[in-house]
Amino acid sequence: MPELPEVETVRVGLQPAMEGARFDAVALRRGDLRFPLQQDFAARLTGQSVIGLGRRAKYLLADLSSGDVLLMHLGMSGSLRVMEGSVETTPGSFHYARCADRAHDHVVFAMSTGKTVVFNDPRRFGYMKVFPRAAIQDEPFLKGLGPEPLGNAFDAEMLARVCAGKSVSLKAMLLGQRAVAGLGNIYACEVLFRAQLDPTHPAAVLADPSGAPTGAAERLVMSIRTVLAEAIAAGGSSLRDESYRQTSGELGYFQHSFQVYDREGERCLRKGCRGTIVRFNQNNRSTFWCPNCQR
């Protein structure tokens, strides 16, 4: 599933086609994605302009001139591509074709820029919703999300406060979205490796008896910020041809910088470490780590 860096890359790719543009037409090829689309979904978008295109955790949020917000989630296999006529705009040098079956083009936005934004989702795990911006604090999809990991509110003190006394594992804490938003399985493995932390340790190790952040909390915050920044700069990660792609059609290439993820049985890349990367099942997800240097 696309994580924060992938969604941020999609947001940036969509900006030229959507931000400041009007929805001239909205075509729904089916009445549901992961969840049923609202009956007035197309009507609430048509004729409205996108005054800002943002991101919250793994969600894309388009603020509309009407005061509504269009929430978009890519799910497991969803992608948004920008078309000009029948040709994708600005295809990159690392270009691969998307899903060839146009039967999976479920939602089509015709924008006043003359470009078309198409949501394709073979598995239909993605979803969209329109709701009033004034009600965003109560929106179920967004309520309870932790701070943005690249924002000012996220620091070691906050992380220690949230995790003090918690027995849940560090990996589960990162995936839970309440302590910090936007990380999924791939980046949780990577940031724990960078911070040299055992993914099975309880989250309580991030706070000392007084509740102050430990060195582990400081390292983890720095690791999260560094890994996500690098991944955004690289355009996200693509594990196979049908997985995440940028709106331009490019595959993200942060996967070439993975230090533990999907490297089971390979030598640890940390300088001076002679360990081997191990994979094990943790909370029904594959965890990759180096038992030798992640303590």
Side-chain angles (χ1 to χ4, degrees):
M1 182 177 292
E3 302 181 29
L4 185 154
E6 290 76 52
V7 178
E8 177 63 17
T9 304
V10 170
R11 185 193 70 81
V12 172
L14 286 175
Q15 275 185 312
M18 294 188 73
E19 203 164 68
R22 182 182 63 251
F23 289 96
D24 280 348
V26 177
L28 305 180
R29 304 285 174 79
R30 58 180 303 119
D32 63 337
L33 297 171
R34 182 174 180 180
F35 309 110
L37 291 161
Q38 296 147 294
Q39 288 189 347
D40 61 351
F41 180 86
R44 290 175 72 170
L45 296 180
T46 305
Q48 302 302 322
S49 297
V50 178
I51 60 176
L53 188 62
R55 178 195 53 75
R56 177 72 172 104
K58 304 174 187 179
Y59 295 94
L60 290 166
L61 300 173
D63 277 286
L64 309 180
S65 52
S66 63
D68 278 340
V69 174
L70 167 62
L71 175 148
M72 297 177 280
H73 192 282
L74 298 177
M76 293 285 291
S77 61
S79 63
L80 286 156
R81 70 181 187 278
V82 179
M83 307 288 293
E84 194 159 13
S86 60
V87 180
E88 291 189 13
T89 59
T90 61
S93 57
F94 195 51
H95 177 76
Y96 284 81
R98 293 169 184 265
C99 176
D101 189 349
R102 294 310 182 218
H104 299 305
D105 287 351
H106 302 312
V107 181
V108 181
F109 301 130
M111 309 303 297
S112 61
T113 54
K115 297 179 180 180
T116 301
V117 178
V118 181
F119 179 65
N120 181 288
D121 189 0
R123 299 184 187 180
R124 295 205 321 274
F125 284 170
Y127 47 93
M128 297 185 183
K129 182 180 180 180
V130 182
F131 60 88
R133 162 57 77 168
I136 196 167
Q137 296 299 326
D138 298 317
E139 169 51 43
F141 288 129
L142 304 176
K143 195 173 182 179
L145 288 175
E148 288 290 313
L150 298 177
N152 293 333
F154 179 65
D155 57 22
E157 287 75 15
M158 184 284 306
L159 195 58
R161 186 168 59 252
V162 172
C163 295
K166 296 294 176 61
S167 60
V168 64
S169 71
L170 285 171
K171 173 84 177 296
M173 177 272 294
L174 292 176
L175 295 181
Q177 304 302 303
R178 291 186 176 274
V180 58
L183 276 76
N185 195 48
I186 293 173
Y187 295 105
C189 291
E190 290 296 311
V191 301
L192 288 169
F193 173 77
R194 297 276 189 106
Q196 293 184 258
L197 293 173
D198 183 331
T200 66
H201 279 338
V205 301
L206 302 180
D208 67 17
S210 71
T214 61
E218 300 282 359
R219 296 199 311 274
L220 185 56
V221 168
M222 182 177 295
S223 172
I224 290 171
R225 289 182 177 276
T226 300
V227 168
L228 293 182
E230 289 177 3
I232 290 170
S237 306
S238 297
L239 302 184
R240 53 184 66 86
D241 284 354
E242 69 269 20
S243 61
Y244 161 76
R245 286 179 177 77
Q246 301 175 49
T247 52
S248 65
E250 290 183 338
L251 287 170
Y253 53 92
F254 186 72
Q255 74 271 14
H256 300 307
S257 299
F258 287 163
Q259 296 189 26
V260 286
Y261 190 84
D262 208 27
R263 296 191 62 248
E264 180 184 12
E266 298 182 28
R267 176 184 172 187
C268 178
L269 297 177
R270 193 183 306 281
K271 186 176 180 180
C273 181
R274 297 183 179 181
T276 300
I277 304 304
V278 172
R279 180 182 67 83
F280 69 98
N281 186 287
Q282 186 180 15
N283 303 114
N284 297 315
R285 305 297 297 274
S286 290
T287 291
F288 296 86
W289 73 307
C290 175
N292 192 56
C293 66
Q294 287 180 254
R295 303 291 181 88

